[in-house]
Amino acid sequence: MQNIQSATPYAGMPVGIESPRSAVSWGAVIAGAVIAAAVSAMLIVGGTGLGFLAVSPWRQEGASGSALAIGSIVWLLITQIIAYGVAGYVAGRLRTKWTDAAVDEIYFRDTAHGFLVWALSAVVGALLLASAVASAISGTAKAGAALAGAGAGAATAVAGEAARNGADDGSLAYFTDVLLRPNDPALASAPGAPRQEVSRILARSVVQGQLSDEDRAYLTRLVAQRTGVDEATAQQRVTQLTDQARQAAQDAERRAREAADAARKGAAAFSLWAFASLLIGAFVASFAATIGGRSRDR
């Protein structure tokens, strides 16, 4: 004798007979996902316009950076609530009417339809933005690498710039000028000043963190010869200026680390708020679908 699995028969159907129709109304789900994408795009474009209106290139005008960040997060949450609220409600109204399901089952199916609307739109959006995500990941990796090598990178950049441009446009140009500055201003434009050589020596000292004894003695003699000062004064000038060049490289390293750390914190905060907005969108779509489903059945 055949066992009957179902204890509670649905209206109009024999006991133990499964409905041949799927419980998912894919037409309603797809329509809701399209609506969610369209409304989200519309609200994001509108929020971008408001953001451009809030900023200003003039000092003391326009919104501050913190105000723009908070406004962006609030607008992102509002976008999720409106877009998925509308999409979930429409999906609930458009789904087929289930006459063979209990009330609790209908409620579950409506919730599932709203969640499917959110999931489908999220997956499609992720696929469309795959290139942008890949670019962001690449940028994050580069930022991490830049943070790890910020110290060496800052010093190497100073040295490379000086070597390429002969210190005319590099970061060590000022220190080179001070080292070779004569006591007599009339000698300042004397031809043949060894600027490039001095810049290379300074750049090497910045990279290595100290000036070798040979380079220090050579620079002392060179500065004394070019500027007309005694060797004691020249040595004092060399020591002072190499310390200043090394401090400038350390300041550049510190600023690079601070910028990388600020970018890291900003990216982490945005990711967490984006995660929260996605959760809110899933909840709103599921809840709105139950409201639309009840309206559909009435």
Side-chain angles (χ1 to χ4, degrees):
M1 183 175 181
Q2 184 178 3
N3 294 328
I4 305 298
Q5 298 296 330
S6 175
T8 304
Y10 296 137
M13 293 195 64
V15 176
I17 302 300
E18 184 177 357
S19 173
R21 295 178 301 171
S22 173
V24 180
S25 298
W26 282 109
V29 171
I30 294 174
V34 171
I35 291 174
V39 175
S40 297
M42 177 187 66
L43 293 176
I44 290 175
V45 171
T48 303
L50 293 177
F52 280 121
L53 289 177
V55 300
S56 174
W58 306 106
R59 189 182 299 273
Q60 306 299 331
E61 293 187 11
S64 62
S66 59
L68 288 175
I70 295 175
S72 299
I73 293 173
V74 172
W75 190 260
L76 179 63
L77 297 178
I78 292 175
T79 298
Q80 293 287 312
I81 294 173
I82 295 177
Y84 286 105
V86 174
Y89 180 82
V90 171
R93 290 298 298 268
L94 293 180
R95 56 88 170 162
T96 186
K97 187 174 183 178
W98 300 298
T99 59
D100 57 346
V103 175
D104 292 342
E105 178 66 17
I106 292 176
Y107 183 82
F108 173 79
R109 292 181 183 183
D110 284 333
T111 303
H113 275 69
F115 189 78
L116 282 174
V117 169
W118 170 84
L120 181 59
S121 63
V123 169
V124 173
L127 292 177
L128 293 177
L129 297 177
S131 59
V133 172
S135 177
I137 294 176
S138 177
T140 303
K142 292 180 180 178
L147 177 61
T156 304
V158 172
E161 186 70 15
R164 285 193 301 271
N165 300 307
D168 292 332
D169 300 321
S171 301
L172 297 177
Y174 170 76
F175 303 107
T176 303
D177 291 338
V178 175
L179 275 178
L180 300 180
R181 186 178 299 161
N183 287 340
D184 186 1
L187 301 176
S189 59
R195 297 174 54 84
Q196 296 185 17
E197 181 182 8
V198 173
S199 294
R200 285 191 293 269
I201 295 175
L202 289 177
R204 187 171 183 272
S205 70
V206 169
V207 172
Q208 293 184 346
Q210 62 181 358
L211 187 65
S212 65
D213 295 337
E214 295 80 3
D215 290 338
R216 185 182 303 275
Y218 176 75
L219 284 180
T220 299
R221 294 193 302 270
L222 182 62
V223 171
Q225 177 186 0
R226 301 299 301 183
T227 61
V229 299
D230 57 86
E231 289 196 2
T233 303
Q235 184 175 6
Q236 182 180 3
R237 182 183 294 188
V238 168
T239 301
Q240 180 181 0
L241 267 298
T242 51
D243 291 342
Q244 291 181 9
R246 189 159 48 250
Q247 183 63 41
Q250 294 175 357
D251 292 340
E253 173 189 351
R254 177 180 52 81
R255 288 192 295 268
R257 290 183 180 272
E258 290 175 352
D261 189 57
R264 177 189 62 83
K265 292 179 179 179
F270 178 79
S271 298
L272 292 176
W273 280 109
F275 171 74
S277 69
L278 289 175
L279 288 181
I280 292 174
F283 172 79
V284 170
S286 302
F287 181 71
T290 61
I291 298 176
R294 285 197 296 265
S295 300
R296 165 71 176 83
D297 290 340
R298 286 197 299 266

